[in-house]
Every structure is written in structure tokens, then in C-alpha cells.
Amino acid sequence: MGRSPCCEKAHTNKGAWTKEEDQRLIAHINQHGEGCWRSLPKAAGLLRCGKSCRLRWINYLRPDLKRGNFTDEEDELIIKLHELLGNKWSLIAGRLPGRTDNEIKNYWNTHIKRKLLARGLDPLTHRPLNAAAAVAGHHHLAAGGSSCSPDATSGHSSCSDGDEYRGGIDLNLSISPPSSSSQPSSPPPPPHEAEARRAGATASYTYHHHYSETREKICLCLNHLGLHGGDECSCGGSSASSSSSPPPATASSRAFTFANASSSTV
DNA sequence: AAAAACTGCAACCGCCCTTGA
DNA sequence: CTCAAGGGCGGTTGCAGTTTT
């Protein structure tokens, strides 16, 4: 069964936005706030698809966007998050204040991919290229995730030999709403990726290594990106609880402290 | 100086998930 | 419980700007 188009394409503009369209959109959202994208174009007097308006606002017009070049710190954070999350750009963007998923996705495809290849790492698996070929298809969440970290300097992975990169790792995601989010009274989300998709910020990930007794928590809060060997994160944004607001995220306070990511940072 | 090739980014497309009737 | 509508996301495309030949 077909799906009705999101808008009447015959009467909508496409392509680059004009300044006037931007002004109309900004003015409307300032006055009425976000929401109901489908009816927004009409209300704002725009000949645009609602989706297009949403995208334009989120990716370009939002006042809290940072824009400008990515810092090395952001680079490394993106790489680390991508290693853990795969192409979950919205989740990754949730950890980078002022950055959008689209921006990060573009930056990944144009800069970071090349950067990793130059290091001899497979952008998909974050493993050394020759090793990555051997385990093609076993990466990221869809493949059960991995806490393995390739060793860029030695060309060896820090994975233990026993797990062969597919030890049935269950990546258990639990994410609380962004600290600056206006989302009201959302209950603590269940540890499920689908929920995680919508939340977008303070994240504590728990790896359950079925093949061993170890349980490591990976905190992705901006202040403490790292593994915690069975301990709660001390950052305040620990676990799945959204009852307590995590500390305000500042880029300058980020740290890359993956306990088992021995040398993948540069 | 002009043409070709490359790069980066904004925007679109189509699918999936959630929600509400 | 079912289904349609709407929102959100990831992948892809198109084009303008930049660099190289």
C-alpha cells in the first residue's frame, strides 16, 4: 500500500532557500515555536514541504548552532562515538552541542573517513584495514557492537583473541534527555536503541560481555567519555536515570579516557 | 586564463518508528 | 487492536566553490 506524500509537491518550492524564506521561517518559529511541521509552511506563508522547513531550521537556522570548523577534540569524539554507535548521526550529534546530525554526517564522509584511511583504519569497523576485511559485516550495533579498539600504532586490535570480535556483545543503550532540552517530563527511557534515537544526549552505555564476567560501563557524557569497570559514572549523568540533570556540557571539559581503547586516540 | 577535476555542504528522498484516533 | 498520519533519521544527490592541470 502506498504512502501519501508528505506534502503537495506540485505547489512547493525546492532547492536552495532564499533569505526571505529563511526570515519567514525564523519569524514564524520565534512566534509560535517548533512543532506541527506539516502545517507550518502554510501558516508561515511558505511554499515549502514541512519536512524541508524542519530540516532548514534544524540544520541551518537554529540559533544555537555552532557552525565553523570542527576542533580536533570534536574530531576524536566523533570517531569514538562512531566506533560505538555506527552511523547513528543523531545520537552522535546529541553529544556535540551546536552540531547537527547532517553536519556531522557530512563531516564524517568528507574528512574523518579520509583521516581514518590515512591511519590505515577501516572507517566502518575502526579496525586496521586488513583485519577489517576479515571481519566485514561484523561491526557496530547491527553486528552486536564491539568494545574493541584498533591499535593504530601497532596495527593490532586490543580485542582479546577469544572473542574474535563477535563475542555476542549486547550493547545496552540508555540515554537521558539532553541537559539543555526543553522536553518536559519524559520518563526514564528503557534501555533500547529505538528510545535512544529520540533522546539524543547524555548517554551511558553498558556493555554486557556474555562471554565473560566482566561488565564495563561506557560513559558518553561529555565530561567523561570512558569505560567504567563496573562502577557507576561519577559524572552525575550516570545510568539511565533522567531524574538528575547532567552537568552542562562544555566542549573544553571533554576527556577521552577509554580504558580499553589503548592507543586509538591520536 | 581556461578547462577539468575535486571538494564540501545544503537539501531531498524514502523508509522506519511513534502516536493517536 | 489496527491503521493512517506525522516526525525523525540515514543515505544520497546536486551544485557551487576551490584547486589543479
Side-chain angles (χ1 to χ4, degrees):
Chain A
M1 57 183 164
R3 173 181 291 267
S4 62
C6 71
C7 52
E8 183 57 59
K9 293 188 177 183
H11 301 102
T12 56
N13 292 338
K14 290 178 73 173
W17 280 64
T18 65
K19 281 190 176 179
E20 188 187 342
E21 286 176 314
D22 283 347
Q23 291 305 324
R24 280 177 183 268
L25 181 57
I26 292 169
H28 181 85
I29 290 178
N30 284 341
Q31 197 171 353
H32 301 97
E34 296 180 38
C36 199
W37 295 107
R38 191 162 173 122
S39 60
L40 184 148
K42 195 174 182 180
L46 289 164
L47 293 175
R48 288 277 179 176
C49 168
K51 277 187 171 186
S52 183
C53 293
R54 173 183 162 272
L55 225 56
R56 181 65 177 174
W57 172 254
I58 288 176
N59 289 329
Y60 202 82
L61 298 176
R62 250 170 46 196
D64 59 326
L65 290 181
K66 190 185 284 182
R67 310 202 69 79
N69 293 337
F70 282 76
T71 65
D72 288 343
E73 216 174 29
E74 287 175 313
D75 271 20
E76 294 306 323
L77 182 56
I78 291 169
I79 291 169
K80 280 298 167 200
L81 290 170
H82 185 271
E83 185 177 1
L84 288 165
L85 303 170
N87 295 356
K88 302 294 178 188
W89 305 117
S90 59
L91 276 179
I92 294 172
R95 306 307 311 145
L96 290 152
R99 302 294 189 185
T100 70
D101 53 356
N102 202 42
E103 190 178 13
I104 293 171
K105 179 172 59 181
N106 283 331
Y107 187 68
W108 175 270
N109 286 326
T110 56
H111 293 87
I112 299 183
K113 253 185 182 177
R114 235 176 292 164
K115 192 173 178 178
L116 289 180
L117 286 171
R119 293 181 192 173
L121 299 176
D122 182 358
L124 285 176
T125 63
H126 295 259
R127 307 194 81 205
L129 278 169
N130 49 358
V135 294
H138 295 280
H139 63 277
H140 300 322
L141 298 175
S146 171
S147 61
C148 303
S149 296
D151 186 331
T153 54
S154 67
H156 292 90
S157 166
S158 61
C159 294
S160 63
D161 290 335
D163 63 42
E164 295 204 24
Y165 202 67
R166 58 184 174 200
I169 297 170
D170 174 23
L171 181 55
N172 204 352
L173 300 174
S174 55
I175 293 181
S176 63
S179 57
S180 59
S181 167
S182 59
Q183 291 179 352
S185 67
S186 52
H192 186 278
E193 186 197 341
E195 297 296 327
R197 280 177 63 174
R198 294 184 298 150
T202 302
S204 293
Y205 299 87
T206 303
Y207 282 125
H208 297 278
H209 296 234
H210 293 305
Y211 52 86
S212 76
E213 293 181 5
T214 62
R215 174 175 290 190
E216 294 169 314
K217 287 190 175 180
I218 297 178
C219 174
L220 292 181
C221 62
L222 288 170
N223 292 348
H224 301 85
L225 178 61
L227 290 170
H228 303 273
D231 298 329
E232 289 293 324
C233 172
S234 60
C235 66
S238 65
S239 76
S241 171
S242 62
S243 58
S244 61
S245 301
T250 57
S252 59
S253 63
R254 288 183 206 121
F256 311 105
T257 54
F258 275 73
N260 70 343
S262 55
S263 59
S264 57
T265 55
V266 175

